[in-house]
Amino acid sequence: LFVGADWVQKVLNQPLENVSVDGALKQTDAGELRGSVWNLVSQRYLDIDLQQVKENLESHPWVHEVDVRRQWPAGLEIRVKEQIPVARWGQRGLLNGEGEVFVPAESMRFETLPRFQGPESRTLAMMAQFRSLNQQMRPLKLQLASLELEPRGAWSLTFNNGVRLLLGRGDLVEKVKRF
């Protein structure tokens, strides 16, 4: 049994031969991700730490989520879900649909997205407030270009026509209705 198990281990534990990267990638290069994996793993098929590969790839600013699996006989299959920016965050960051901030090397291409500024712990509340206020302004053919939340809780918003409202703290919906 011991000799048989050792033989099976040697047969199955071949050097890694193939790394495939799948996913709808627009901002990230599959070849770059593949190269990152090859630089990280120089081990045999069964010795590869899949969690380490996953964490390494998720450290890339445009990578949101990674699923890494062994692919018989000597490959890795990597499925990548890329970050999808829905707003700009501060001066250099971007915000994804789940309220997570990420900072890519180049964010200037996304100047048309609305800009949020505030405490990073309040991103989801800011996104909800943004949607609510945008719905409220739709009949007036106004759109929010910027939404800011100061640390003390005061809100200010800027519309696409350049008008800026300083709303302070309290019920924003009621204050915007008055506007």
Side-chain angles (χ1 to χ4, degrees):
L1 258 153
F2 180 73
V3 172
D6 189 47
W7 179 81
V8 168
Q9 169 84 10
K10 286 179 183 174
V11 169
L12 295 178
N13 204 13
Q14 298 296 318
L16 186 64
E17 293 177 8
N18 182 33
V19 175
S20 68
V21 176
D22 295 323
L25 303 177
K26 294 181 181 174
Q27 310 298 333
T28 313
D29 180 40
E32 178 186 341
L33 296 177
R34 200 175 296 112
S36 176
V37 172
W38 280 111
N39 290 337
L40 182 66
V41 297
S42 59
Q43 303 142 337
R44 299 173 105 36
Y45 180 70
L46 295 177
D47 298 334
I48 295 170
D49 184 354
L50 299 182
Q51 186 62 33
Q52 182 185 14
V53 172
K54 175 182 171 65
E55 289 170 3
N56 179 271
L57 292 175
E58 286 179 345
S59 69
H60 189 284
W62 280 106
V63 174
H64 179 61
E65 205 172 88
V66 175
D67 180 38
V68 182
R69 297 180 183 185
R70 286 184 171 83
Q71 188 178 36
W72 180 258
L76 285 181
E77 179 184 0
I78 299 170
R79 293 188 183 147
V80 178
K81 182 178 174 189
E82 200 171 53
Q83 299 276 15
I84 300 173
V86 295
R88 293 176 291 141
W89 182 262
Q91 299 301 319
R92 294 188 45 236
L94 295 172
L95 192 64
N96 69 17
E98 296 174 10
E100 298 167 348
V101 177
F102 64 102
V103 182
E106 182 186 326
S107 61
M108 295 307 292
R109 296 182 308 186
F110 299 96
E111 284 293 318
T112 57
L113 292 175
R115 187 179 71 79
F116 289 8
Q117 180 84 32
E120 203 166 311
S121 62
R122 301 284 311 270
T123 56
L124 290 174
M126 291 181 73
M127 288 174 64
Q129 196 67 262
F130 179 82
R131 284 189 206 105
S132 172
L133 292 169
N134 242 356
Q135 287 291 346
Q136 199 173 355
M137 292 289 114
R138 194 172 304 247
L140 301 174
K141 299 195 182 347
L142 290 175
Q143 270 189 315
L144 285 174
S146 168
L147 181 64
E148 296 179 39
L149 175 60
E150 294 178 12
R152 62 183 177 87
W155 293 85
S156 63
L157 26 127
T158 306
F159 294 104
N160 58 347
N161 63 1
V163 172
R164 182 167 182 187
L165 287 180
L166 304 173
L167 299 173
R169 299 190 300 194
D171 186 16
L172 293 186
V173 175
E174 193 56 43
K175 289 179 180 181
V176 171
K177 278 182 184 177
R178 283 192 310 215
F179 166 73

